[in-house]
């Protein structure tokens, strides 16, 4: 079942990726064993095994959006948040755009 969920998440990422890839310095990258979207080589969004979107955002913004942190090896990752598949494509698109802006602003 996780494979099907990840494939569904990947299809959704493929749906929102063209808008992101049209921005300067944005490309497909790889992190945590998954393809995602990066700016100048720094990943800002990818699909987790669960099919959820994982994005890099400021810690305070993750709280404001009511998102959970990604957990890796039992430890919450401070600036990585999980956007559930069930939140829908529009929310994925909006939050991926925010993640792009954040990583773009901190990446030389």
């Amino acid at each position: 079942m996780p494979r099907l969920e990840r494939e569904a998440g990947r299809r959704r990422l493929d749906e929102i990726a063209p808008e992101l890839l049209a921005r300067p310095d944005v490309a497909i990258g790889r992190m945590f064993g998954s393809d995602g979207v990066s700016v100048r080589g720094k990943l800002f969004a990818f699909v987790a095994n669960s099919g959820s979107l994982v994005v890099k955002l400021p810690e305070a913004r993750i709280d404001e959006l009511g998102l959970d942190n990604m957990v890796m090896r039992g430890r919450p990752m401070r600036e990585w948040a999980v956007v559930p598949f069930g939140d829908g494509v529009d929310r994925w698109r909006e939050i991926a755009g925010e993640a792009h802006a954040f990583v773009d602003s901190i990446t030389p």
Side-chain angles (χ1 to χ4, degrees), residues 25 39-43 56 100-108:
D25 302 319
V39 60
R40 289 185 298 288
K42 299 292 183 184
L43 214 66
K56 185 171 179 76
H100 167 264
F102 173 61
V103 174
D104 187 39
S105 74
I106 63 170
T107 302

Side-chain angles (χ1 to χ4, degrees), residues 24-46:
D25 302 319
V26 174
I28 298 297
R30 193 154 178 82
M31 184 174 190
F32 302 123
S34 181
D35 288 332
V37 190
S38 65
V39 60
R40 289 185 298 288
K42 299 292 183 184
L43 214 66
F44 62 87
F46 67 93

Side-chain angles (χ1 to χ4, degrees), residues 3-89:
R3 182 173 175 221
L4 295 177
E5 292 167 343
R6 186 174 187 171
E7 288 174 8
R10 181 63 189 155
R11 284 191 302 274
R12 180 171 290 165
L13 183 61
D14 288 345
E15 185 178 338
I16 68 171
E19 178 182 316
L20 297 166
L21 292 167
R23 299 174 186 191
D25 302 319
V26 174
I28 298 297
R30 193 154 178 82
M31 184 174 190
F32 302 123
S34 181
D35 288 332
V37 190
S38 65
V39 60
R40 289 185 298 288
K42 299 292 183 184
L43 214 66
F44 62 87
F46 67 93
V47 175
N49 288 335
S50 66
S52 297
L53 180 68
V54 178
V55 294
K56 185 171 179 76
L57 291 169
E59 192 171 5
R61 185 63 178 142
I62 292 170
D63 291 339
E64 290 170 6
L65 291 168
L67 298 173
D68 292 327
N69 289 93
M70 179 181 88
V71 176
M72 182 176 252
R73 295 185 184 102
R75 192 180 115 217
M77 305 303 288
R78 191 171 50 88
E79 290 187 327
W80 288 96
V82 177
V83 184
F85 186 85
D87 281 7
V89 68

